[in-house]
Amino acid sequence: MKRSSGSSLKIPVMSTISNKPQTLLALNWKMNKTPTEAAAWAKRLQEEMPETGTALAVMVGAITLSQVASEMYGSTAFLGAQDISPHESGAYTGETSAVQLKDVGVKYVIVGHSERREYHGESDATVAAKAKKALEHGIVPIVCVGEKLEIREAGSHVAFTLESLKNSLAGVEIASAADLVIAYEPVWAIGTGKTATAADAEEMASAIRGSLEQLYPAFASQIVIQYGGSVKPDNIQEICGQPNVNGALVGGAALVLESVFGMLEALK
Ligand code: 13P
């Protein structure tokens, strides 16, 4: 975590024995925690963070970014945001720009979360514009895709998700595998306690990997693909153990530090 764009990051050691990319656990707090609560959480994380081979990113609400950044200064965890404006700067009331995020030390940003698609009408084209803006400023987009229950029940979940992925990455160019993260989050598994099976997660992750091979042939094998939807300490190991799943994007279980440490332990 860096305090400002000038200082350097302590980066977790990359695995050299496996050809899977390093596992990335991203904690999506959604609209939870006041700046005071967030600062206390981040201070404890900084003090109690166990040794881990997993990369950890904490995706916090915009109003808490500065406090979390300063409490986590010197930590191996990365700072993340939950949304970004597709615009550079100016008259866009209520939005947060890439420059502003970068200035507080943001490394990752979620784009196209299903809650933004559902409640804020975000289209794949908007998601692509946000991903491009993040990359222009050296912020790694975590591009979210995933189907609703009726699409899964109709059996068209893979086709639907790959089409959404292709459109959400339209015109998005990367210079290395580390520039992009994809999160597969089936909407029916988010906050419902219904987790996709490890086989469901792998089916989609492997299909996503296939699409990435067409879009980014030089980098596809090393792009992190996460699963999200009711992930917790009890199920993270099996899900992230799948060949094409390289981490998780976690909501509910991300709010309590003990369960975060439980997930890190399970991933060892
Ligand atoms: P839950 O882990 O609460 O199901 O949320 C998943 C999610 O939406 C993460 O972005």
Side-chain angles (χ1 to χ4, degrees):
M1 168 92 28
K2 61 181 180 173
R3 191 181 292 273
S4 74
S5 43
S7 54
S8 65
L9 287 164
K10 261 213 248 169
I11 297 171
V13 179
M14 300 293 285
S15 162
T16 49
I17 41 171
S18 149
N19 61 2
K20 272 186 100 174
Q22 186 187 26
T23 303
L24 173 64
L25 175 61
L27 310 176
N28 178 8
W29 283 1
K30 307 191 179 185
M31 197 173 71
N32 292 295
K33 296 194 191 292
T34 63
T36 308
E37 290 164 347
W41 189 104
K43 184 167 189 288
R44 270 195 67 205
L45 178 73
Q46 163 71 331
E47 289 166 357
E48 299 172 32
M49 172 100 170
E51 285 288 314
T52 175
T54 298
L56 183 69
V58 191
M59 322 297 293
V60 306
I63 198 162
T64 71
L65 281 167
S66 295
Q67 280 94 336
V68 173
S70 74
E71 290 299 342
M72 283 173 40
Y73 181 68
S75 152
T76 53
F78 296 110
L79 184 63
Q82 299 172 12
D83 189 29
I84 186 170
S85 173
H87 306 288
E88 184 65 24
S89 64
Y92 299 99
T93 302
E95 297 217 48
T96 308
S97 74
V99 173
Q100 291 168 327
L101 296 179
K102 191 77 188 164
D103 189 66
V104 289
V106 163
K107 155 105 178 162
Y108 294 99
V109 63
I110 298 172
V111 294
H113 192 280
S114 62
E115 288 148 18
R116 296 218 52 94
R117 292 176 184 265
E118 179 75 11
Y119 307 133
H120 301 271
E122 284 190 11
S123 64
D124 290 335
T126 306
V127 175
K130 290 183 172 193
K132 278 192 259 185
K133 185 54 73 182
L135 283 163
E136 262 176 45
H137 291 274
I139 298 172
V140 177
I142 299 181
V143 177
C144 299
V145 288
E147 80 286 354
K148 291 186 179 172
L149 187 59
E150 59 268 26
I151 295 174
R152 175 157 285 261
E153 286 176 344
S156 43
H157 50 286
V158 174
F160 171 88
T161 301
L162 295 189
E163 180 66 15
S164 173
L165 180 72
K166 188 181 84 185
N167 295 332
S168 299
L169 293 175
V172 174
E173 287 174 17
I174 57 173
S176 82
D179 286 351
L180 180 64
V181 174
I182 308 298
Y184 167 56
E185 296 206 309
V187 178
W188 49 271
I190 295 178
T192 59
K194 283 188 204 160
T195 319
T197 63
D200 291 336
E202 173 59 18
E203 175 197 40
M204 192 66 80
S206 113
I208 289 172
R209 184 88 58 206
S211 290
L212 295 175
E213 271 157 15
Q214 290 173 355
L215 293 168
Y216 311 108
F219 307 125
S221 70
Q222 293 301 304
I223 292 176
V224 168
I225 301 174
Q226 298 177 313
Y227 166 80
S230 300
V231 173
K232 44 188 187 283
D234 288 354
N235 59 21
I236 195 166
Q237 185 186 26
E238 193 190 1
I239 291 171
C240 292
Q242 300 304 303
N244 285 287
V245 181
N246 317 118
L249 181 55
V250 181
L255 295 171
V256 178
L257 210 44
E258 282 67 23
S259 67
V260 173
F261 292 158
M263 289 187 283
L264 290 173
E265 184 61 33
L267 287 169
K268 271 189 183 163

